[in-house]
Amino acid sequence: MARFHDLKVTDIHKTIRDAVVVTLKPVNGSAAEFDFIQGQYLTFRRDFDGEELRRSYSICAGKDEGILQVGIKRVEGGAFSTWANTDLKVGDTVQAMPPMGSFHTAIDPAAEKQYLGFAGGSGITPVLSILKTTLTREPRSRFTLVYANKGVNTIMFREELEDLKNLNMGRLNVIHILETDAQEIELFTGLVTQEKCAELFARWIDIRNTDTAFICGPEPMMLGIAAALRAHGLEDRQIKFELFASAQPGRIKRKVSDTDTASQANRTKASITLDGATQTITMPKDQSILDAALDNAMDAPFACKAGVCSTCRCRVLKGDVEMVANHALEDYEVEKGYVLSCQAYPLTDTVVVDYDQ
Ligand SMILES: Cc1cc2nc3c(=O)[nH]c(=O)nc-3n(C[C@H](O)[C@H](O)[C@H](O)COP(=O)(O)OP(=O)(O)OC[C@H]3O[C@@H](n4cnc5c(N)ncnc54)[C@H](O)[C@@H]3O)c2cc1C
Ligand code: FES
């Protein structure tokens, strides 16, 4: 089971005024645990005035760079991102869980594929990791990146992308779409909507030969892009998503009255396996599996508690649960019985779940 490890900050620099790129080195012999797959993220934890916050940040380094690096953009009023941008220094120690996430496809050195990446703002981080890894490990594949930002000043990794383009002439194409800054080509100004994608596919992007598309950015933008991709023939299995924050809160929890809560009908016997040990608890049906595990002193993994990151994934082996929000698991995972435990509420009187699978 994933646990927190110490990482030393070996470098930190600004990529734009409001974003830092942080290089990290695992200490205490945990380097092997931080071997990542391109597109994965790290979940950090830190105490802010006695309250532990957990936040996930995607790895922006490619597999062949030999470094562990994340990019953190400051969110107005955001606790962790502001701290990282203003107080974090070289030499500091931070705590993070080993890499997680399934925002990637398998790399095949013999493949000759066309990839399409869409990123909005800080959503570039996992796409950059995928893009760099693909360019070095699939020498015959090509990558087109559509990168949306407010203006030129807010483009993270702008110079690095320019260098990559020059190094990979003919294999990497980068299209910057700027919301407010006018560009020579009118189509490249404005928001990335379904309609704009359709125009890009008509004139700038060879959508018919695209094998896989990766999308990471604000939710409305992701939905528009996905709709355009589907309308142009891509199947769901060819579209990979990574969501940083959901605009939609999870569905309101079922209300159970005080008398109901006490009654046996609204309680579930849950057997929860974590780190090889199984604990059987009795929990109310209006409590999530994750909260029930935490309330019973089990060290279950979690980060966003909003159905976005998948850190809390577990597998239901017996009984039924209802997942009230799911922005992270793919259909094939749900079919195999995986659920986001922060969003999963028992429906049956007995459930058996396993965090170790
Ligand atoms: C899998 C995953 C990977 C991620 N990777 C990255 C990454 O590589 N780089 C990066 O900069 N961030 C990334 N994020 C987002 C990051 O985890 C935090 O949500 C973000 O930094 C805000 O945290 P905070 O503590 O600063 O703000 P909080 O104190 O949590 O929030 C402050 C305010 O900002 C709003 N808010 C929260 N998150 C966002 C957001 N993403 N955009 C706009 N408003 C927001 C909240 O509604 C609130 O009003 C990722 C998230 C996930 C789930
Ligand atoms: S903790 Fe992020 S999905 Fe459950």
Side-chain angles (χ1 to χ4, degrees):
M1 182 50 57
R3 286 296 171 266
F4 286 92
H5 296 271
D6 285 349
L7 301 167
K8 186 147 262 169
V9 177
T10 57
D11 185 59
I12 181 163
H13 65 268
K14 293 254 175 218
T15 162
I16 50 169
R17 203 184 61 183
D18 270 348
V20 281
V21 179
V22 185
T23 309
L24 300 156
K25 192 174 176 345
V27 290
N28 307 327
S30 61
E33 306 235 27
F34 285 86
D35 184 18
F36 62 92
I37 302 173
Q38 67 282 358
Q40 285 192 311
Y41 62 87
L42 301 178
T43 295
F44 296 84
R45 74 169 172 197
R46 186 175 186 273
D47 257 40
F48 289 85
D49 300 325
E51 192 196 338
E52 183 190 283
L53 288 189
R54 295 183 177 198
R55 295 288 181 268
S56 306
Y57 293 96
S58 301
I59 296 166
C60 55
K63 286 287 293 169
D64 298 294
E65 291 180 276
I67 50 169
L68 188 63
Q69 201 170 54
V70 292
I72 305 179
K73 185 163 184 186
R74 194 171 71 83
V75 170
E76 192 64 40
F80 196 100
S81 63
T82 303
W83 167 78
N85 271 270
T86 52
D87 295 330
L88 191 62
K89 294 184 301 296
V90 170
D92 285 354
T93 299
V94 292
Q95 289 195 313
M97 279 193 246
M100 288 186 186
S102 54
F103 186 54
H104 55 81
T105 52
I107 292 280
D108 171 7
E112 193 172 343
K113 290 188 176 171
Q114 297 237 22
Y115 296 96
L116 184 52
F118 287 92
S122 58
I124 187 64
T125 47
V127 180
L128 185 61
S129 172
I130 293 166
L131 177 161
K132 289 192 279 196
T133 306
T134 306
L135 290 173
T136 53
R137 298 206 168 180
E138 275 187 15
R140 290 207 286 254
S141 292
R142 290 157 186 254
F143 209 109
T144 296
L145 170 68
V146 179
Y147 188 12
N149 279 286
K150 282 227 151 52
V152 176
N153 293 343
T154 61
I155 304 176
M156 287 171 77
F157 305 104
R158 180 153 66 105
E159 281 169 23
E160 184 169 353
L161 284 168
E162 203 54 42
D163 291 347
L164 280 166
K165 217 168 71 175
N166 293 335
L167 265 174
N168 296 279
M169 284 284 188
R171 294 184 59 219
L172 174 62
N173 180 22
V174 181
I175 299 174
H176 288 288
I177 308 283
L178 301 177
E179 191 182 330
T180 49
D181 290 0
Q183 303 207 66
E184 258 175 53
I185 297 162
E186 209 186 312
L187 181 59
F188 296 171
T189 301
L191 292 171
V192 179
T193 57
Q194 183 173 352
E195 295 71 35
K196 179 143 342 249
C197 287
E199 288 187 62
L200 289 170
F201 299 159
R203 288 155 57 190
W204 295 91
I205 294 168
D206 176 11
I207 193 67
R208 269 188 297 170
N209 291 312
T210 297
D211 293 282
T212 305
F214 296 95
I215 319 175
C216 183
E219 200 173 11
M221 175 183 126
M222 292 175 67
L223 296 175
I225 295 165
L229 291 170
R230 289 189 193 107
H232 286 77
L234 261 77
E235 292 173 23
D236 283 350
R237 61 174 177 84
Q238 294 173 283
I239 309 172
K240 302 284 289 179
F241 297 94
E242 183 76 318
L243 187 62
F244 281 1
S246 173
Q248 296 170 318
R251 230 178 63 196
I252 294 170
K253 278 194 254 170
R254 285 179 303 283
K255 283 220 166 65
V256 179
S257 72
D258 287 350
T259 41
D260 280 353
T261 310
S263 86
Q264 219 38 46
N266 281 298
R267 300 185 76 76
T268 290
K269 200 171 94 182
S271 294
I272 304 175
T273 301
L274 178 73
D275 291 338
T278 301
Q279 202 172 314
T280 300
I281 59 172
T282 303
M283 62 176 285
K285 282 184 179 153
D286 65 344
Q287 188 178 37
S288 71
I289 304 275
L290 174 69
D291 282 340
L294 297 174
D295 277 0
N296 284 275
M298 297 184 85
D299 195 12
F302 71 92
C304 73
K305 279 198 170 183
V308 173
C309 72
S310 85
T311 310
C312 65
R313 188 180 95 143
C314 68
R315 192 170 189 181
V316 179
L317 302 179
K318 202 171 154 200
D320 286 327
V321 304
E322 181 186 17
M323 202 165 27
V324 295
N326 172 23
H327 304 286
L329 296 181
E330 300 207 21
D331 290 348
Y332 78 90
E333 293 174 284
V334 175
E335 273 159 29
K336 285 184 180 167
Y338 288 102
V339 294
L340 301 171
S341 62
C342 71
Q343 302 297 316
Y345 295 82
L347 291 174
T348 45
D349 294 342
T350 312
V351 292
V352 177
V353 303
D354 191 344
Y355 278 93
D356 296 345
Q357 293 203 20

